[in-house]
Amino acid sequence: MSLKIPVVLLFAILAAACGNDAEKGAQVPVRATAATGDYDATLSEGIQFGDRPGYPRFVSSVTGMSGYEPGNRWTEGPAAIFHFAQPLPTKFILKLEMVGAFGPNVGKPVVVKIGSWRGEFTVDTKPVTIDLPVETTEPAPAIEFVVPEPASPRELGVGADTRKVGVGFRRLSIALP
C-alpha cells in the first residue's frame, strides 16, 4: 500500500523540521566562523550537527550553515563550506548522515567540491546515509556543498521561517579507506 501525502502537507512537515526560530521573532544567522575548540573529536567521529551545538576542534571556520537545532543543522544559502585546521587526506570516504532536503531541493543533486575532486549526491525527504569515495591530487583545506535551490518556508507559503535552507545534516565524518 502506497502512502500519498499532498505536496502542501509535505512542505508543512519539512518546514516544521526546519525549526521555528523566525516564528519566535529570532533571527538565526548563517554561522560565518566556527568558534575553534568547541569540542574534541577526530575526523572519523566527525561533525555531530544534531548532538552538539558547536564544531569540533578540527574545523577552523564554517559558512552557509544555520544555527544548531537538536537533531540536525540546515544549510543556509547557496553553499556551505567547512574549512579544516589541517588539510584533509588525499584519499578518504566522506560519510554523510542527512536528515533530508527541503522544498525544491528534494531529489536534486547537491554538488560537493574537495580540492580537485567533484562529486554529487541527492537527498529525498527521509534520512539517508551517503558514502562518497574521494581522491584528490593534493590535500584540500575545505569541503564545499553547493545547494541546488535554497528556499525559505515563508516564500513557499508553509511557515514564517525566512531562512533559505537546502539540506539537513546530522553528521559529517571522514573515514580512511
Side-chain angles (χ1 to χ4, degrees):
M1 179 174 159
S2 173
L3 176 66
K4 295 187 179 186
I5 300 174
V7 173
V8 173
L9 178 59
L10 180 60
F11 280 151
I13 292 167
L14 287 172
C18 286
N20 61 1
D21 290 330
E23 292 174 26
K24 295 176 187 173
Q27 289 296 324
V28 180
V30 174
R31 184 165 182 169
T33 305
T36 58
D38 288 343
Y39 63 89
D40 288 322
T42 63
L43 288 173
S44 64
E45 291 170 329
I47 303 170
Q48 302 162 24
F49 298 98
D51 296 333
R52 299 185 179 226
Y55 288 93
R57 289 190 197 337
F58 63 75
V59 174
S60 61
S61 68
V62 177
T63 58
M65 290 299 289
S66 195
Y68 168 80
E69 298 176 35
N72 66 281
R73 198 180 286 238
W74 291 89
T75 60
E76 187 172 353
I81 306 171
F82 298 88
H83 293 274
F84 295 86
Q86 300 291 322
L88 297 169
T90 57
K91 188 174 184 178
F92 60 91
I93 306 295
L94 178 63
K95 298 177 128 342
L96 306 170
E97 292 178 25
M98 310 299 293
V99 296
F102 177 71
N105 299 287
V106 173
K108 291 196 177 155
V110 175
V111 175
V112 185
K113 300 176 183 178
I114 304 171
S116 60
W117 182 87
R118 301 289 182 270
E120 63 182 47
F121 63 92
T122 60
V123 183
D124 204 340
T125 58
K126 298 176 183 169
V128 65
T129 300
I130 300 161
D131 289 351
L132 296 172
V134 175
E135 191 165 349
T136 62
T137 56
E138 59 187 53
I143 298 175
E144 179 178 3
F145 297 90
V146 180
V147 179
E149 292 185 52
S152 75
R154 182 182 213 172
E155 70 189 12
L156 296 178
V158 295
D161 192 337
T162 59
R163 296 177 297 162
K164 289 187 174 267
V165 297
V167 293
F169 284 83
R170 179 175 311 278
R171 186 170 175 219
L172 177 157
S173 61
I174 292 172
L176 297 178

